[in-house]
């Protein structure tokens, strides 16, 4: 979690988010590293690196390299301050929701998410070396509660032994995600609104049931 103030989310910039993750009040990074842990701040740093290297905005690079080549016509990164949601949708985001930007802050729909996951698992749009990293599990992942591959995909083994890969996420009221088999031939995508009283365990149980039933 950020160790510096983020306020109510209004007027956030990637730089402000990174500052909140790396301020003087933050704990010293663990060394040597002994566990695998998801860290959303890394995605903001990566987004800023993309802009620095390419000289273009992160949103433009997403469109140029991913959404346009894969035909994702309903997928885009909202501009700062844009809290609108295409209709129809399950619910509209609130203006105070922190700007997720490179940490999964894109707007999409189920068909586009499925198309992207099939392309990603089916060797598009990555070069072979990067594609292989999607399925390499680091040693520390063996003891992780929620293991991730070196390529950033969440890993889950079904009750029948089938290995599946993907990513879950949540923003505002939503809980969503997409998972697929190694070759991308079978993919499931979901999005739902948990009840106000639902716990994290309740949500994980429901997501696990969806993935087990579909794949």
């Amino acid at each position: 979690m950020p160790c510096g103030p983020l306020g109510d989310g209004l007027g956030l910039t990637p730089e402000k988010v990174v500052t909140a993750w790396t301020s003087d009040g933050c704990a010293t990074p663990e060394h040597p590293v002994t566990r695998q842990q998801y860290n959303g701040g890394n995605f903001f740093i990566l987004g800023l690196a993309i802009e620095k290297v390419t000289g273009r905005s992160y949103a433009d690079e997403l469109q140029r390299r991913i959404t346009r080549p894969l035909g994702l016509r309903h997928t885009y990164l909202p501009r700062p301050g844009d809290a609108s949601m295409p209709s129809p949708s399950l619910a509209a985001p609130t203006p105070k929701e922190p700007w997720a930007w490179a940490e999964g802050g894109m707007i999409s729909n189920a068909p586009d998410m499925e198309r992207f996951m099939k392309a990603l698992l089916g060797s598009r749009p990555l070069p072979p070396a990067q594609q292989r990293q999607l399925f390499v599990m680091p040693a520390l992942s063996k003891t992780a509660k929620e293991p991730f591959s070196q390529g950033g995909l969440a890993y889950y083994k079904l009750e029948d032994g089938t290995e599946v890969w993907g990513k879950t996420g949540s923003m505002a009221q939503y809980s969503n995600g997409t998972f697929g088999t190694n070759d991308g031939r079978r993919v499931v995508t979901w999005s739902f609104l948990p009840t106000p009283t639902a716990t994290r365990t309740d949500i994980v149980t429901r997501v696990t049931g969806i993935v087990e039933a579909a794949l």
Side-chain angles (χ1 to χ4, degrees):
M1 296 294 292
C3 48
L6 281 176
D8 60 7
L10 297 176
L12 273 179
T13 65
E15 291 82 3
K16 288 181 180 179
V17 174
V18 172
T19 298
W21 283 88
T22 58
S23 64
D24 292 338
C26 296
T28 302
E30 183 182 86
H31 184 77
V33 177
T34 60
R35 59 197 173 107
Q36 186 185 59
Q37 183 178 353
Y38 179 86
N39 186 335
N42 292 336
F43 290 94
F44 283 89
I45 295 173
L46 180 59
L48 289 171
I50 289 172
E51 294 192 333
K52 182 71 173 179
V53 170
T54 65
R56 290 180 286 268
S57 73
Y58 177 65
D60 289 342
E61 284 300 289
L62 284 174
Q63 184 180 49
R64 187 171 74 91
R65 295 173 180 266
I66 298 176
T67 59
R68 187 182 297 156
L70 296 182
L72 308 181
R73 298 186 297 111
H74 303 283
T75 301
Y76 65 96
L77 183 72
R79 299 295 177 179
D82 180 7
S84 63
M85 177 70 74
S87 182
S89 63
L90 294 176
T94 60
K96 292 187 177 182
E97 183 67 26
W99 182 36
W101 198 57
E103 195 198 355
M106 300 178 73
I107 302 295
S108 188
N109 61 15
D112 268 14
M113 289 177 67
E114 180 176 339
R115 177 189 286 264
F116 170 75
M117 185 54 68
K118 285 184 175 180
L120 182 64
L121 297 175
S123 300
R124 294 179 61 205
L126 297 175
Q130 283 71 39
Q131 181 71 21
R132 288 192 292 270
Q133 295 300 307
L134 293 178
F135 308 110
V136 175
M137 300 300 294
L140 291 178
S141 68
K142 295 179 180 179
T143 58
K145 186 176 180 180
E146 297 177 351
F148 283 83
S149 73
Q150 290 185 178
L153 289 181
Y155 168 81
Y156 179 71
K157 181 177 286 189
L158 304 179
E159 291 182 356
D160 65 2
T162 302
E163 295 180 321
V164 294
W165 313 79
K167 184 70 177 68
T168 61
S170 60
M171 187 72 178
Q173 305 99 312
Y174 286 93
S175 179
N176 49 49
T178 181
F179 267 78
T181 52
N182 294 47
D183 56 8
R185 293 183 179 180
R186 287 186 292 161
V187 171
V188 58
T189 299
W190 69 88
S191 183
F192 62 87
L193 301 178
T195 62
T197 58
T199 65
R200 176 174 172 78
T201 299
D202 295 332
I203 296 172
V204 170
T205 298
R206 183 171 184 184
V207 167
T208 301
I210 291 172
V211 175
E212 286 281 357
L215 300 179

